[in-house]
Amino acid sequence: MTDDGEESVGDAGFDEFVAALAEGDGYYVECANGHGSLPPRRVCPECGSADLDETALPETGEVATYTKVHVPAPSFADDAPYVTAVVDFGPVRLTGQVLAAVENVEIGTTVEVGVRVTETRGDPLVVFEPR
Amino acid sequence: MTKVRVAGAGMTAFGSHPERTSRDLFAEAGRDAIEDAGVAREDVEGVYYGNFMGELSEHQGHQGPLAAEALGVQAPATRYESACASSGVALRQAVRDVRNGEADVLVVGGTERMTNLSTAESTEALAIAADELYEVRAGVTFPGAYAMMATAYFEQFGGTREDLAHVAVKNHANAVGNERAQYQREITVEAALESPAVADPLHLYDACPVTDGASAVVLVSEDYADDHNLDAGVAITGTGQGGDRMALQDRENVATSPAATEAAEEAYADAGIGADDVDVAEVHDCFTIAEVLALESLGFFDTGEGITAAREGVTTRDGDLPVNLSGGLKAKGHPVGATGTSQVAELTKLLRGDHVNSEHVPEAQVGVAHNAGGTVASAVVHVLEEVVS
C-alpha cells in the first residue's frame, strides 16, 4: 500500500498478527474471562477485561459462511472472481479468501489459515486452504 | 415530554444526477420539506444532516454548515455518519431534542452523491462501512458481506434465490407510480434469477442501485404545530437504536440482525405499541436478504420465517402488511445518507393519504421505518402514527 515510492506506515498490532499467521504461528487475544478477540485490543470487546494474553490459534477451523465475489473493489480487480469466507476457529472467527473452487467449499468445510499476497496490488491477504 | 410531529417532507427524485452537488440536491429536498411544513425559515433552530461518503465522492467533509447554507437557514448544523443509517441516526437525535424541549423546529435530512464515481470506485467507497483490517483487506465487498449473510440464512433456515427474487419483484411493482423512484418499472422473477451474479447467491437484481438523491423532513413540537396552525397530522411516537459488532466474523450468528431487534423493541416500547399494531413499514432492503432479516427483527415474522413473506403475498401492497410501498431501496434507490429520512418522508405521506400508494393502506394509522448501517452493526427504528384529532 505504498504510493509514489514513499515508505508506508503500518498498522501496529494487525501487521504483527498477519506476520504471525504467515509464519504458521497464528494467535488470538484471550481475556481473563475466556473471551477471544483479534488484535489490536486494549480491552476485551465482550467484557472490558484489560487482562489479555496472546493464545495460539487452533490449527484448523470450519467455514461458517462464504460467497463467491464476482464484482470486486478496484484493489481486487485482478483477483476476482474469488471465494471469501468467515471461518470459525472456536474462540474467534476470521475472514479471508478460500483457495478452492466454490464447488469445493461448503459450510463446515475444514480449512487451515495462511497468508498470500493479492494479484492486483501484492497486498497481504489472509487465505484458507481446505484440508 | 413534548410530542414530536412531522410537519413537512421533501425528496429529490432519486436516480442518476452525476453532475449535481450534494448541496444542490439537499437544497431542493430541504426547500420542499420547509414549504410542505409551512414553517418560517427563521424559526428553524438546527439542521441535522446525514451523509456517508462525502470525503470520497466529493472531497468534502464538514458538510453540516453547507447543508444549512443550502437551505438559507442560519442555525447550527451537524453532520451525522453511521453508514447507510446516517440520516436515521440524525433523525433520532432530532426527535430526542424536540422531546426534551431543546428545540421546536428542526430540519433533518441527508444526501448522497454516488453516480459521479465509477462502479469500481463506488464499490470501494461502500466497502468502508465494513471492517477495513479484517474484512475489506480480505476482499469483502458490501454485496459480498450480505451474500455471506444469505448463505448462512439458507443453511440455517432454508430459502431459495427464488424467494429472494419475489422481494425484488414486489418492491419494483410498488415503485411504478412513485415519481421520485429511480426504477419505475416492474421486473419478473425470471429476470431477477437470470441477472448477472454479483456475489453468490446474490445477483444484480437482489441489489439496490447506486443512487444520487436527498431527503428531508421538518420536525416540530406539538405546541409549535398548534400555535402556528400547522397541518402536521403525523407524529413520531417511538425511536430506538441498536448496535452490534462491526465485522460479521465477530457476530454470534450472521443470519440474524440483533441490532435491529434491539432498535425495534426500544421503539415499540417507546411508542407503547407492538409489532401487531403496525399497518405499513419501510425497511432497509439494500439487498433482498436484508428485507428478510428486517421483517424478522421487527417482529413481523419469527426467525427463519420471513423469507417467504413476499412470495406468499403477505408483504405485497395488497397483503396484510405492505412493506416498502415506496419501492424500497431496491427500486426507489439508495442514496446512502438520504435513505433514513426518505423512508420517514414516504411513510408520512402514506399516513397522510397523499402518497401514490396510500390507496393500498387507506386505514393505516401506524407505520414503522427501519434503517440499517453496514451489515446491521447499526440500526435505527422509528414509529410514526397518524394523529387522531
Side-chain angles (χ1 to χ4, degrees):
Chain A
M1 297 258 228
T2 53
D3 32 70
D4 304 332
E6 287 177 32
E7 190 138 336
S8 77
V9 174
D11 295 300
F14 179 75
D15 291 347
E16 291 79 359
F17 168 76
V18 173
L21 281 182
E23 293 296 315
D25 296 324
Y27 58 85
Y28 65 97
V29 178
E30 189 177 50
C31 79
N33 296 313
H35 302 126
S37 62
L38 293 164
R41 297 285 174 198
R42 289 181 186 260
V43 297
C44 169
E46 286 297 315
C47 66
S49 167
D51 187 0
L52 306 177
D53 279 320
E54 286 182 9
T55 306
L57 191 72
E59 278 186 12
T60 60
E62 285 185 2
V63 170
T65 190
Y66 65 96
T67 180
K68 181 178 179 183
V69 174
H70 299 265
V71 181
S75 52
F76 286 89
D78 300 336
D79 293 75
Y82 52 84
V83 177
T84 185
V86 173
V87 171
D88 191 349
F89 286 91
V92 292
R93 288 174 169 185
L94 194 54
T95 310
Q97 290 183 11
V98 187
L99 303 178
V102 72
E103 294 75 23
N104 298 324
V105 180
E106 55 186 32
I107 291 176
T109 299
T110 300
V111 297
E112 287 177 36
V113 65
V115 176
R116 298 283 186 276
V117 292
T118 63
E119 296 277 329
T120 313
R121 293 189 183 167
D123 294 330
L125 175 70
V126 174
V127 295
F128 304 115
E129 286 190 79
R131 220 186 197 188
Chain B
M1 190 172 64
T2 309
K3 290 183 176 165
V4 184
R5 299 283 190 83
V6 184
M11 275 174 61
T12 64
F14 280 10
S16 182
H17 309 289
E19 75 294 347
R20 288 185 68 184
T21 59
S22 288
R23 67 186 87 181
D24 179 55
L25 291 162
F26 189 66
E28 181 189 337
R31 176 204 62 198
D32 288 356
I34 290 170
E35 278 178 14
D36 185 37
V39 300
R41 264 189 172 68
E42 53 270 27
D43 285 358
V44 176
E45 295 155 280
V47 178
Y48 295 50
Y49 180 76
N51 173 262
F52 172 52
M53 56 167 74
E55 287 82 358
L56 297 174
S57 65
E58 298 189 291
H59 198 242
Q60 184 68 65
H62 199 191
Q63 293 190 24
L66 277 173
E69 217 177 286
L71 301 184
V73 163
Q74 310 291 326
T78 306
R79 170 181 166 188
Y80 291 79
E81 190 274 306
S82 200
C84 318
S86 293
S87 55
V89 295
L91 179 72
R92 174 169 161 80
Q93 190 57 51
V95 166
R96 285 148 70 108
D97 287 351
V98 172
R99 281 180 170 182
N100 291 338
E102 308 256 352
D104 284 308
V105 184
L106 296 172
V107 175
V108 194
T111 311
E112 210 71 59
R113 184 181 187 187
M114 302 172 72
T115 69
N116 58 323
L117 302 175
S118 67
T119 300
E121 288 168 339
S122 62
T123 300
E124 190 151 63
L126 287 165
I128 68 169
D131 183 321
E132 163 63 22
L133 296 181
Y134 284 99
E135 295 185 313
V136 179
R137 291 188 193 181
V140 175
T141 59
F142 208 52
Y146 270 94
M148 289 198 286
M149 296 169 91
T151 304
Y153 188 101
F154 286 176
E155 172 83 4
Q156 288 178 47
F157 308 120
T160 62
R161 284 194 54 224
E162 193 167 343
D163 292 326
L164 294 180
H166 279 276
V167 176
V169 168
K170 166 181 78 71
N171 292 347
H172 270 267
N174 289 342
V176 168
N178 185 355
E179 60 177 17
R180 304 283 184 206
Q182 186 164 4
Y183 296 134
Q184 298 166 47
R185 61 180 169 83
E186 299 206 41
I187 61 166
T188 63
V189 169
E190 292 70 30
L193 291 173
E194 287 164 13
S195 65
V198 175
D200 296 321
L202 302 182
H203 285 230
L204 189 61
Y205 281 19
D206 289 296
C208 64
V210 168
T211 311
D212 305 305
S215 66
V217 294
V218 177
L219 299 189
V220 299
S221 64
E222 196 165 62
D223 286 347
Y224 183 94
D226 291 345
D227 290 349
H228 293 78
N229 291 317
L230 296 184
D231 181 13
V234 173
I236 297 185
T237 58
T239 178
Q241 184 172 357
D244 205 342
R245 296 287 293 279
M246 178 77 163
L248 284 180
Q249 66 185 22
D250 296 324
R251 314 255 179 92
E252 264 181 50
N253 187 342
V254 300
T256 59
S257 51
T261 307
E262 201 178 298
E265 286 173 354
E266 185 184 3
Y268 291 160
D270 191 25
I273 66 154
D276 290 349
D277 297 314
V278 177
D279 299 311
V280 59
E282 288 287 315
V283 309
H284 197 95
D285 59 323
C286 51
F287 297 93
T288 48
I289 185 66
E291 175 162 319
V292 175
L293 299 179
L295 296 177
E296 296 176 5
S297 287
L298 289 165
F300 302 144
F301 295 88
D302 290 337
T303 302
E305 303 290 325
I307 186 80
T308 53
R311 179 163 61 81
E312 290 173 354
V314 182
T315 51
T316 52
R317 59 190 168 203
D318 299 318
D320 288 342
L321 177 67
V323 171
N324 285 334
L325 280 173
S326 65
L329 283 54
K330 173 70 192 90
K332 182 189 64 178
H334 182 29
V336 180
T339 290
T341 37
S342 80
Q343 294 173 316
V344 171
E346 299 274 3
L347 276 177
T348 298
K349 291 180 179 185
L350 282 162
L351 293 176
R352 289 196 312 211
D354 59 356
H355 190 282
V356 65
N357 282 327
S358 285
E359 61 182 296
H360 296 290
V361 283
E363 308 293 325
Q365 291 185 320
V366 180
V368 161
H370 158 280
N371 185 202
T375 46
V376 208
S378 303
V380 199
V381 171
H382 284 97
V383 177
L384 279 72
E385 294 189 60
E386 189 180 7
V387 178
V388 183
S389 50

